[in-house]
């Protein structure tokens, strides 16, 4: 009789019977999610190919439907380019159901981890030769994996194709069956402590997934009806589609037809949250009184932009952390494999103990196989996380740019351009260079603190792999810190001076453009060309000093990991007197590579933060400048106070009236 696992389900443990007795409970339990998936898939395909029936379906059209459907007087239906309708040829309105995009991917993350665990266990048991009932237990885990897979597939199709705000109760039934099947499969596991701990945690996690499914069944998601054809990204609910950007395929397919140019009408409509009107409405609510010229105190535009873009800013932080930590999967896998090869080569033919899986090493067969998989899974996860991170950061940057440009434009139409301190060239520079500096800091601010986590992870790994010798490299790194402090201080001063010189050059160019007729008539080209050249030479002189400083710091910080690695190996071999083996040497080099990645990106982030701080100061000064008093124009037009930007309505033209949305 096999050893009974404490958390196993004895009622389903029929391995002492025949093959039919073993397979029957698992086959019946797996059949339910498969049938549910086939039923939902067939229902989705029938709905996506039939005409709209308002009386029966309430005008609902399954998401992902292709061509709009029209209905004529005789009740016939057509699709595609035909113009049919209710007598006058007008198309029948199609209603699209949009759901919240967060609930389904979140529970798919939970289910995917469960599926990955059961697949690893199935492969481990099916390839094991030392465990009792290994083949049967491996097949049982494979059945558990199939149960979770098809339950996830069916839930995904039903969520995307039906207007129901809640998940189907079958999701709870199928996940509960999957957890029960896993409890039955636990009867075949060993009871030594590492095996017991890991499988106990997996058993508890399976029931956590059941609770997630129960929450999805009882809690409705946000459902919105619209007659506007949705953007492909709006109807992208599945986790694989979001991570692999399959929603972008229709946009790429627009360029397949090489017989015509791609036009704006060929692209999908913007999502409502991405429109300028919606973006400014949200940003205005976040700003509060910060737009007013009389506002006292710091405006903190950075934080307000982060609040505006929170739905993209917060997930970008999560994926940035994953993008920096997933490379350590490869590092750990390499250390385990090299140590395993070294130990088995040194102890070839020795008998394995209770904890070594019979292979003469401290690592079990499952851990070695997982390490081999880690060489492929680690880079894949890192690549996916990097792409998703870049996409989210771009979204943050685009929304932030739109908000800042509108803020500066509204201010520009309210200030007095005849004043000595207000120049058109400066305003253009604020809307281009300064906004770009701020966007880099707002969108990529996670690259400031996440590399610090990577540094900590690399330091902990180095301390585990090479021990005390790590401090040799740490001392070398700390000794260079004063150079960084002095260097970045000088660069910040040069950055301010560069922007000032650029404003002076743009002012001269703007003066030339405004008076070009007079300049040509009076033959003053040479004098103005010399002025522009003088301003440009002065700007380039400061810019050359700035770039030389950056070259020095970037070279120093790029070379630091190699120098630190050399200092670490010298400390370990020469000072301490240890000998390096393959696992220690190669793993240390891999950790140093991760250290290099962190130390390479830190100077770039420091540069962006420094430039953004200077640009924010310039924008704050611009927003605090006095404005033209339009009270008399508003009083004449509406009989009430209408100071632009102060909360009133008022006169016409570009400087004194209401905006199209009714805001001031």
């Amino acid at each position: 009789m096999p050893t009974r696992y404490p958390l196993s389900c004895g009622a389903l443990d029929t391995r002492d019977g025949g093959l039919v007795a073993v397979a029957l409970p698992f086959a019946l339990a797996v059949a339910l999610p498969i049938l549910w998936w086939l039923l939902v898939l067939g229902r989705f395909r029938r709905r996506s190919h039939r005409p709209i029936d308002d009386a029966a379906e309430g005008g609902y059209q399954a998401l992902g439907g292709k061509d709009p459907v029209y209905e004529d007087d005789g009740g016939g239906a057509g699709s595609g380019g035909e113009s049919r309708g209710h007598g006058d040829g007008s198309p029948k309105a199609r209603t699209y159901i949009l759901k919240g995009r967060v609930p389904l991917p979140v529970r798919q993350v939970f289910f995917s981890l469960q599926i990955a665990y059961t697949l690893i266990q199935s492969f481990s048991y099916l390839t094991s030769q030392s465990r009792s009932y290994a083949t049967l237990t491996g097949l049982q885990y494979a059945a558990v994996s199939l149960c979770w897979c098809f339950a996830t597939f069916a839930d995904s199709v039903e969520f995307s194709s039906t207007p129901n705000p809640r998940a189907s109760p079958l999701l709870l039934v199928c996940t509960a069956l999957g957890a029960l099947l896993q409890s039955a499969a636990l009867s075949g596991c060993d009871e030594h402590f590492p095996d017991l701990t890991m499988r106990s945690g997996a058993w508890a996690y399976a029931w956590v997934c059941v609770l997630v499914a129960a929450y999805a069944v009882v809690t409705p998601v946000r459902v919105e009806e619209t007659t506007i054809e949705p953007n492909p990204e709006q109807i992208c609910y599945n986790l694989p589609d979001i991570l692999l950007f399959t929603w972008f395929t229709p946009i790429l397919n627009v360029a397949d037809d090489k017989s015509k140019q791609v036009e704006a009408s060929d692209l999908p409509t913007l999502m409502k949250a991405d429109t300028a009107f919606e973006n400014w409405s949200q940003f205005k609510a976040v700003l509060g009184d910060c737009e007013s010229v009389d506002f006292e105190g710091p405006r903190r535009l950075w934080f307000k932009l982060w609040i505006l873009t929170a739905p993209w800013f917060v997930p970008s932080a999560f994926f940035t952390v994953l993008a920096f930590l997933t490379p350590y999967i490869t590092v750990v896998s390499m250390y385990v494999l090299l140590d395993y090869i070294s130990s088995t080569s040194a102890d070839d033919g020795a008998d394995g103990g209770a904890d070594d899986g019979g292979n003469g090493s401290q690592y079990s067969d499952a851990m070695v196989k997982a390490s081999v998989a880690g060489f492929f899974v680690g880079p894949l996860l890192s690549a996916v996380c990097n792409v998703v991170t870049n996409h989210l950061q771009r979204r943050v940057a685009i929304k932030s740019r739109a908000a800042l440009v509108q803020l500066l434009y509204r201010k520009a139409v309210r200030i007095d351009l005849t004043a000595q301190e207000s120049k058109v060239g400066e305003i253009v520079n604020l809307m281009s260079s300064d906004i770009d500096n701020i966007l880099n800091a707002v969108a990529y601010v996670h690259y400031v603190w996440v590399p610090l986590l990577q540094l900590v992870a690399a330091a902990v790994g180095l301390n585990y792999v090479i021990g005390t010798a790590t401090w040799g490299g740490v001392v070398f790194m700390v000794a260079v810190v004063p150079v960084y402090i002095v260097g970045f201080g000088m660069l910040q001063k040069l950055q301010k001076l560069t922007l000032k010189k650029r404003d002076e050059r743009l002012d001269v160019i703007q003066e030339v453009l405004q008076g070009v007729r007079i300049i040509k008539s009076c033959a003053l080209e040479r004098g103005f060309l010399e002025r522009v050249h003088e301003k440009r030479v002065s700007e380039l002189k400061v810019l050359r000093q700035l770039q030389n400083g950056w070259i020095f710091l970037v070279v120093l910080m790029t070379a630091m990991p190699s120098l630190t690695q050399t200092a670490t190996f010298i400390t370990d071999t020469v000072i301490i007197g240890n000998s390096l083996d393959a696992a220690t040497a190669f793993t240390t080099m891999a950790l140093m590579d991760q250290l290099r990645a962190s130390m390479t990106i830190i100077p770039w982030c420091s540069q962006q933060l420094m430039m953004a701080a200077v640009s924010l100061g310039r924008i704050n000064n611009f927003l605090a400048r006095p404005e033209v008093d339009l009270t008399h124009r508003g009083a004449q037009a509406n009989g009430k106070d209408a100071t632009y930007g102060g909360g009133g309505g008022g006169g016409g033209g570009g400087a004194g009236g209401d905006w199209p949305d009714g805001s001031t």
Side-chain angles (χ1 to χ4, degrees):
M1 290 292 292
T3 303
R4 182 78 64 190
Y5 187 77
L7 301 177
S8 64
C9 182
L12 295 178
D13 183 20
T14 57
R15 291 174 301 161
D16 289 333
L19 181 62
V20 175
V22 174
L24 185 60
F26 287 85
L28 292 177
V30 172
L32 178 60
I34 294 178
L35 290 176
W36 177 32
W37 174 67
L38 293 175
L39 178 64
V40 173
L41 189 62
R43 188 171 58 206
F44 166 69
R45 290 181 175 178
R46 288 195 302 271
R47 177 180 290 116
S48 61
H49 289 87
R50 69 186 182 191
I52 299 177
D53 185 358
D54 283 344
E57 296 264 353
Y60 169 72
Q61 173 68 19
L63 295 179
K66 298 180 180 178
D67 295 323
V69 180
Y70 304 94
E71 212 172 72
D72 58 17
D73 291 338
S79 62
E82 303 180 18
S83 178
R84 301 182 182 179
H86 298 282
D88 57 353
S90 60
K92 187 174 183 179
R94 168 177 290 186
T95 302
Y96 296 93
I97 306 297
L98 303 178
K99 295 184 177 181
R101 299 181 59 204
V102 176
L104 181 63
V106 168
R107 60 177 180 263
Q108 284 181 339
V109 169
F110 281 91
F111 297 163
S112 298
L113 294 177
Q114 177 66 14
I115 293 170
Y117 169 78
T118 53
L119 285 176
I120 292 174
Q121 288 297 321
S122 175
F123 178 76
S124 176
Y125 274 100
L126 290 175
T127 57
S128 176
Q129 303 296 329
S130 59
R131 294 175 175 176
S132 59
Y133 296 97
T135 303
L136 290 179
T137 305
L139 292 176
Q140 288 176 341
Y141 271 111
V144 174
S145 179
L146 287 176
C147 182
W148 283 99
C149 280
F150 282 100
T152 305
F153 294 158
D155 178 45
S156 172
V157 175
E158 183 157 352
F159 185 92
S160 303
S161 61
T162 63
N164 299 330
R166 294 180 176 85
S168 172
L170 287 175
L171 176 64
L172 179 59
V173 175
C174 293
T175 52
L177 281 176
L180 287 175
L181 292 179
Q182 183 170 337
S183 299
L186 284 174
S187 300
C189 77
D190 305 321
E191 284 198 23
H192 60 278
F193 183 74
D195 204 56
L196 182 69
T197 304
M198 182 176 65
R199 283 165 177 75
S200 298
W203 176 87
Y205 183 80
W207 289 104
V208 169
C209 292
V210 175
L211 294 178
V212 171
Y215 180 82
V217 170
V218 300
T219 306
V221 300
R222 177 181 57 84
V223 178
E224 176 185 355
E225 293 186 4
T226 179
T227 56
I228 302 175
E229 185 177 358
N231 185 281
E233 189 177 1
Q234 286 180 279
I235 58 177
C236 181
Y237 300 115
N238 294 315
L239 181 65
D241 295 335
I242 294 174
L243 296 180
L244 301 179
F245 294 91
T246 58
W247 57 268
F248 198 71
T249 302
I251 301 177
L252 296 177
N253 291 339
V254 173
D256 288 345
D257 187 4
K258 297 182 173 56
S259 62
K260 70 180 189 70
Q261 294 287 340
V262 177
E263 300 177 354
S265 58
D266 297 324
L267 300 177
T269 58
L270 284 174
M271 291 189 292
K272 183 179 179 181
D274 290 336
T275 60
F277 173 77
E278 185 70 20
N279 193 61
W280 173 251
S281 300
Q282 297 176 3
F283 190 52
K284 185 178 179 182
V286 173
L287 279 176
D289 297 332
C290 291
E291 191 182 4
S292 174
V293 67
D294 299 327
F295 182 80
E296 297 180 358
R299 288 182 170 83
R300 295 189 175 91
L301 292 179
W302 274 3
F303 297 100
K304 290 177 172 56
L305 290 174
W306 290 334
I307 295 174
L308 173 68
T309 59
W312 298 272
F313 183 77
V314 175
S316 69
F318 173 74
F319 281 100
T320 303
V321 173
L322 291 182
F324 274 89
L325 295 183
T326 46
Y328 288 97
I329 297 177
T330 306
V331 175
V332 174
S333 300
M334 180 175 63
Y335 180 78
V336 171
L337 285 179
L338 290 177
D339 196 26
Y340 169 77
I341 293 173
S342 300
S343 59
T344 52
S345 299
D347 197 20
D348 191 14
D351 294 332
D355 293 337
D356 57 14
N359 54 28
S361 171
Q362 60 177 330
Y363 305 107
S364 63
D365 291 338
M367 185 177 296
V368 174
K369 295 170 184 176
S371 299
V372 174
F375 272 103
F376 303 95
V377 175
L380 175 62
L381 292 178
S382 180
V384 170
C385 291
N386 275 309
V387 172
V388 174
T389 299
N390 290 334
H391 169 68
L392 293 172
Q393 289 171 339
R394 292 289 183 182
R395 293 293 299 270
V396 171
I398 291 173
K399 291 182 69 67
S400 300
R401 174 187 290 276
L404 287 177
V405 168
Q406 288 176 296
L407 176 63
L408 292 178
Y409 181 78
R410 288 166 60 89
K411 178 65 178 181
V413 299
R414 300 197 302 265
I415 65 175
D416 185 6
L417 290 179
T418 62
Q420 184 66 26
E421 59 183 7
S422 300
K423 304 291 182 62
V424 175
E426 180 189 6
I427 297 175
V428 173
N429 201 18
L430 287 173
M431 290 188 177
S432 56
S433 300
D434 289 283
I435 286 183
D436 287 340
N437 294 338
I438 296 174
L439 293 187
N440 289 332
V442 170
Y444 304 105
V445 69
H446 302 306
Y447 288 151
V448 176
W449 60 272
V450 172
L452 298 179
L453 296 180
Q454 192 178 34
L455 286 174
V456 173
V460 172
L462 287 171
N463 185 66
Y464 176 80
V465 173
I466 205 168
T468 310
T470 305
W471 291 101
V474 172
V475 171
F476 185 81
M477 292 171 58
V478 171
V480 188
V481 171
V483 180
Y484 296 152
I485 296 175
V486 175
F488 283 117
M490 294 179 59
L491 291 180
Q492 187 172 13
K493 296 179 181 179
L494 290 174
Q495 180 64 33
K496 293 181 180 179
L497 187 58
T498 300
L499 293 176
K500 181 180 179 181
K501 296 292 185 181
R502 185 175 301 168
D503 287 343
E504 294 175 356
R505 176 176 58 86
L506 290 176
D507 289 340
V508 176
I509 293 176
Q510 184 65 31
E511 182 181 352
V512 172
L513 294 177
Q514 289 178 347
V516 64
R517 290 187 178 182
I518 299 176
I519 294 174
K520 296 295 291 184
S521 300
C522 300
L524 300 175
E525 298 95 330
R526 184 180 299 276
F528 278 95
L529 283 175
E530 291 178 356
R531 286 186 59 189
V532 173
H533 179 70
E534 179 185 352
K535 297 296 183 182
R536 181 58 177 166
V537 170
S538 177
E539 179 187 358
L540 288 177
K541 182 179 179 181
V542 180
L543 188 61
R544 186 180 294 108
Q545 297 176 3
L546 179 65
Q547 294 303 319
N548 288 336
W550 275 117
I551 290 173
F552 172 75
L553 286 179
V554 169
V555 169
L556 178 61
M557 300 192 76
T558 304
M560 274 299 298
S562 299
L563 298 176
T564 305
Q565 176 180 325
T566 304
T568 302
F569 285 147
I570 291 177
T571 304
D572 187 54
T573 56
V574 178
I575 299 178
I576 300 179
N578 294 332
S579 59
L580 288 176
D581 56 6
T584 301
F586 284 105
T587 306
T588 301
M589 294 173 64
L591 290 171
M592 288 294 179
D593 285 337
Q594 300 303 318
L595 195 64
R596 176 182 303 174
S598 300
M599 299 189 67
T600 301
I601 202 171
I602 285 177
W604 179 82
C605 293
S606 302
Q607 178 191 17
Q608 298 302 321
L609 287 177
M610 184 183 62
M611 296 171 63
V614 175
S615 297
L616 270 179
R618 288 161 51 85
I619 290 180
N620 281 325
N621 293 335
F622 179 73
L623 294 176
R625 289 182 183 175
E627 302 173 357
V628 176
D629 186 8
L630 301 176
T631 306
H632 61 286
R633 298 180 60 184
Q636 293 174 1
N638 299 327
K640 61 180 180 180
D641 178 58
T643 301
Y644 202 112
D658 291 341
W659 291 84
D661 61 348
S663 62
T664 58

